[in-house]
């Protein structure tokens, strides 16, 4: 299930029998905010930090199993590892300071299920990022499928961190950006 694990210490926790702060990372603004908040919680509680990125083959597991290709799977596993490393670089400039144990874990599974399986102790804390609610989705129905899954299946507390607000004018500008705009950057 897991791959590309950086381990330090025996159990990856903050102390003997202590919990861990487990954060889901996808590279989105919300997950970067969650990574920052998880580091604060880990420092505050003297706990270990475990950052998890989950991945599946782009075509889905069912189709992949019909035509398995190890090279293809290794490619996407490497992409997930790079996404996790980029998140740490963007948020902390590398490894966060003031935290005893920091682990990065790449898991081949659905994100919600991966987080719930990794957080196997009641003392753990799962930290996940979420988009800000808009329009009809405000209130009780807010949250993505992953957030609803984690809140419903986790055997430990869950901290939900909202994505930072993007100014309205910038949101409008970003909606007009096309793939060609990014292609011109390297030329």
């Amino acid at each position: 299930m897991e791959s590309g694990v950086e381990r330090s210490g025996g159990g990856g926790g903050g102390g003997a029998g202590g919990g861990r702060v487990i954060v889901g990372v996808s590279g989105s603004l919300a997950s970067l905010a969650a990574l920052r908040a998880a580091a604060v919680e880990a420092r505050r509680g003297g706990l270990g930090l475990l950052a998890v990125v989950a991945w599946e083959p782009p075509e889905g597991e069912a189709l992949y199993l019909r035509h398995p290709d190890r090279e293809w799977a290794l490619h996407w596993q490497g992409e997930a590892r790079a996404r996790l490393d980029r998140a740490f670089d963007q948020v902390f400039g590398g490894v966060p300071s003031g935290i005893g144990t920091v682990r990065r874990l790449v898991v081949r599974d659905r994100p919600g299920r991966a987080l719930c399986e990794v957080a196997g102790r009641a003392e753990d804390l799962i930290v996940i990022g979420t988009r800000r609610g808009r329009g009809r989705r405000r209130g009780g129905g807010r949250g993505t499928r992953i957030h609803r899954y984690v809140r419903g299946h986790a055997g430990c507390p869950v901290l939900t961190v909202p994505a930072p607000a993007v100014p309205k004018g910038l949101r409008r500008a970003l909606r007009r950006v096309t793939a060609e705009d990014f292609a011109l950057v390297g030329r």
Side-chain angles (χ1 to χ4, degrees):
M1 174 190 225
E2 63 185 66
S3 60
V5 181
E6 294 179 15
R7 298 186 190 276
S8 45
R20 304 163 295 176
V21 178
I22 299 163
V23 59
V25 178
S26 67
S28 68
L29 284 177
S31 76
L32 297 179
L35 182 57
R36 183 174 288 115
V40 169
E41 291 295 324
R43 272 190 214 101
R44 182 180 302 148
L47 302 172
L49 176 65
L50 175 58
V52 178
V53 63
W55 71 277
E56 292 182 292
E59 66 274 13
E61 287 292 346
L63 188 57
Y64 176 83
L65 290 175
R66 287 186 191 165
H67 305 286
D69 183 352
R70 182 152 172 76
E71 295 293 321
W72 186 242
L74 288 173
H75 166 76
W76 289 108
Q77 177 183 337
E79 288 291 320
R81 162 60 68 188
R83 193 172 351 127
L84 185 57
D85 292 341
R86 263 192 316 276
F88 271 81
D89 289 342
Q90 290 172 340
V91 173
F92 308 113
V95 178
S97 60
I99 301 173
T101 302
V102 177
R103 289 181 53 209
R104 301 175 194 190
L105 181 63
V106 176
V107 179
R108 182 173 175 174
D109 202 352
R110 292 184 178 263
R113 188 169 46 205
L115 287 170
C116 290
E117 286 181 10
V118 168
R121 304 182 227 163
E123 308 86 40
D124 289 340
L125 170 67
I126 297 177
V127 182
I128 50 178
T130 186
R131 296 182 303 243
R132 293 185 178 274
R134 294 185 354 208
R136 312 180 290 236
R137 305 270 309 172
R138 288 193 182 198
R142 189 162 56 185
T144 65
R145 178 175 32 94
I146 296 167
H147 301 104
R148 287 189 302 270
Y149 183 92
V150 171
R151 286 192 309 254
H153 293 85
C156 64
V158 178
L159 173 63
T160 304
V161 179
V166 177
K168 241 182 198 176
L170 185 56
R171 270 189 296 202
R172 285 188 198 114
L174 288 174
R175 283 190 203 116
R176 290 188 289 268
V177 173
T178 64
E180 290 79 30
D181 296 329
F182 291 103
L184 299 175
V185 172
R187 293 183 187 168

